[in-house]
Amino acid sequence: VGGVKIARKDVVKEDDPTNNVPDTIFSKIGLQLHMRDNHPLGILKNTIYDYFDKNFAGQFYKFDDLCPLVSVKQNFDDVLVPADHVSRSYNDTYYVDGQTVLRCHTSAHQAELLRDGHTHFLVTGDVYRRDSIDSTHYPVFHQMEGFRVFSPDDWSGSGMDGTAYAYAAADLKKTLEGLARHLFGAVEMRWVDTYFPFTNPSFELEIYFQDDWLEVLGCGVTEQEILKRNGRTDHVAWAFGLGLERLAMVLFDIPDIRLFWSNDKRFTSQFSEGKLGVKFKPFSKFPPCYKDMSFWINDEFTENNLCEVVRGIAGDLVEEVKLIDNFTNKKGMTSHCYRIAYRSMERSLTDEEINDLQWNVREAVKSKLKVELR
Ligand code: PHE
């Protein structure tokens, strides 16, 4: 499925210091889980499509096959991310080289689609972020972006005054409240003010679900500068971005984000096209095994780098990497102790296998992060 074909040499460049893409990440490019109609992410995507098709008479153009390799300009500059924003750092984003990244959000496509003349569009795709490891975080996940442009006729205005922005904000909220009801039924919702560089005002939509407020998406009224730069002066627009895994975990009762990547029939056979919200029945959960590792950190040490090294050795057998102790001695040296949880979702791991993994992880951490194991 899909048309994304990328060669290893085009994304993994071990001898280029401006590249930080490991093989574990390369191996996920092009899998396009959101294109599988029998996969929870595909089912969710299609259900959202249905909502927009029904309510907007097919006006929304759908893109789900745009290449995840984008320029730094597309990913950051075009959506007004400040030069010093943390998301631009090597610690947070996968850089192919100084000018090219694996997109960290689907907002990377806003500007080009606007320039191409689109006024209503949805962009679904895999996005990439360096992060720590636990049951809800995985360095590759999927987002859907929505974008709608209005012209003065829509708000029957004569210029860019408060009316225009109020009109866009009201339409945005109405549209997304409808979407949330389409997905979750009659739920309690609330809007929370937040910040994004590309929207103003910016909001998060939360719904009350299973005794908790759950953040469903981020959105807002598009910054005028983005419209101006891309051929839509005197227009207003709204945009939203939602994380498909986050919603699918709740809607299908999926307890661990790694399961989305599983080819195990006991997982894949539980979902079918058009059936949103079928509750996942966990197949017997295999026991976790915990291993601790302590070392003196150095100035370059970050938890994201540690997690990348651990994942490079243990892959999806690592369930969580957690800091359990942290102290600084009289000489000013800081020691961290991390607890690594190993667990397969498919089988029991043997002691020998885990000891081997842990030994390899220790060696890799020592050599790649230049920390001193204790
Ligand atoms: N790009 C934002 C994110 O990844 C989500 C977003 C999209 C927010 C569009 C506002 C408008 O968190």
Side-chain angles (χ1 to χ4, degrees):
V1 283
V4 179
K5 289 234 162 34
I6 296 173
R8 181 178 184 276
K9 67 166 174 39
D10 295 328
V11 271
V12 182
K13 304 175 183 186
E14 278 112 340
D15 44 13
D16 179 348
T18 66
N19 179 291
N20 61 356
V21 183
D23 276 308
T24 48
I25 292 297
F26 167 67
S27 70
K28 299 292 190 286
I29 298 176
L31 292 184
Q32 298 199 301
L33 301 181
H34 60 284
M35 306 284 265
R36 302 183 187 173
D37 292 333
N38 291 314
H39 187 281
L41 299 180
I43 297 168
L44 175 56
K45 180 193 80 172
N46 289 329
T47 310
I48 301 174
Y49 280 0
D50 289 343
Y51 171 78
F52 280 94
D53 286 344
K54 238 183 248 149
N55 291 283
F56 297 93
Q59 286 180 86
F60 275 81
Y61 237 88
K62 303 175 196 111
F63 299 90
D64 53 14
D65 205 10
L66 299 177
C67 183
L69 272 176
V70 300
S71 63
V72 167
K73 179 175 174 295
Q74 288 172 295
N75 198 76
F76 298 118
D77 303 323
D78 284 354
V79 283
L80 314 178
V81 175
D84 59 354
H85 197 274
V86 279
S87 65
R88 289 188 184 245
S89 71
Y90 275 81
N91 192 47
D92 286 39
T93 290
Y94 290 105
Y95 279 81
V96 170
D97 54 44
Q99 288 78 254
T100 318
V101 298
L102 287 167
R103 67 184 164 211
C104 72
H105 55 182
T106 42
S107 304
H109 300 287
Q110 284 187 5
E112 55 177 316
L113 293 175
L114 269 174
R115 276 198 300 280
D116 289 347
H118 293 286
T119 56
H120 298 65
F121 56 85
L122 301 170
V123 180
T124 311
D126 35 323
V127 300
Y128 298 77
R129 292 187 195 174
R130 300 188 84 228
D131 213 331
S132 48
I133 299 180
D134 65 34
S135 66
T136 62
H137 290 91
Y138 200 81
V140 190
F141 60 102
H142 299 76
Q143 282 189 328
M144 187 190 292
E145 189 92 359
F147 203 98
R148 178 173 186 186
V149 182
F150 299 92
S151 46
D153 290 345
D154 291 312
W155 70 91
S156 45
S158 50
M160 295 308 302
D161 56 14
T163 327
Y165 304 112
Y167 181 86
D171 187 83
L172 171 67
K173 288 186 173 177
K174 189 181 74 186
T175 303
L176 294 176
E177 285 170 10
L179 174 61
R181 270 191 298 274
H182 182 70
L183 299 176
F184 290 92
V187 282
E188 215 186 317
M189 305 180 209
R190 69 182 185 195
W191 289 99
V192 180
D193 290 326
T194 185
Y195 164 82
F196 298 106
F198 26 92
T199 49
N200 186 16
S202 304
F203 313 102
E204 274 162 6
L205 175 59
E206 296 188 342
I207 62 166
Y208 198 70
F209 193 78
Q210 293 168 351
D211 301 328
D212 236 334
W213 286 102
L214 172 81
E215 184 199 319
V216 176
L217 52 80
C219 65
V221 177
T222 298
E223 281 287 357
Q224 211 50 44
E225 180 65 19
I226 297 178
L227 294 169
K228 212 168 23 184
R229 285 188 196 174
N230 297 289
R232 291 287 172 184
T233 312
D234 294 337
H235 289 60
V236 280
W238 56 240
F240 71 84
L242 56 83
L244 291 178
E245 275 84 349
R246 186 186 183 84
L247 294 187
M249 286 181 82
V250 176
L251 288 163
F252 293 92
D253 260 353
I254 296 171
D256 190 306
I257 197 166
R258 292 174 299 167
L259 281 162
F260 291 106
W261 300 93
S262 171
N263 288 320
D264 191 317
K265 287 268 182 317
R266 289 169 298 176
F267 177 77
T268 57
S269 68
Q270 292 196 31
F271 309 99
S272 47
E273 186 166 358
K275 297 219 171 98
L276 184 77
V278 170
K279 297 304 176 215
F280 170 65
K281 287 182 217 62
F283 33 96
S284 59
K285 222 179 173 193
F286 298 94
C289 177
Y290 301 98
K291 294 280 175 193
D292 293 352
M293 180 171 53
S294 299
F295 45 82
W296 300 108
I297 63 162
N298 52 35
D299 290 345
E300 285 88 60
F301 177 81
T302 69
E303 196 168 302
N304 285 355
N305 288 344
L306 172 69
C307 288
E308 194 101 88
V309 172
V310 177
R311 214 184 298 262
I313 301 292
D316 284 356
L317 295 179
V318 48
E319 176 174 86
E320 186 169 35
V321 175
K322 192 172 166 189
L323 182 65
I324 56 168
D325 191 41
N326 176 3
F327 73 90
T328 302
N329 71 8
K330 287 194 195 110
K331 292 188 206 148
M333 294 161 72
T334 297
S335 165
H336 282 181
C337 180
Y338 283 91
R339 177 158 295 167
I340 304 177
Y342 295 102
R343 188 209 302 261
S344 163
M345 287 168 301
E346 278 132 35
R347 61 197 175 81
S348 269
L349 300 173
T350 64
D351 283 344
E352 195 190 343
E353 191 176 5
I354 290 166
N355 289 336
D356 279 355
L357 276 176
Q358 180 68 3
W359 194 85
N360 289 329
V361 163
R362 288 175 65 89
E363 290 300 305
V365 166
K366 188 165 64 181
S367 68
K368 296 208 161 135
L369 303 180
K370 314 263 185 292
V371 298
E372 192 189 327
L373 297 185
R374 305 181 52 216

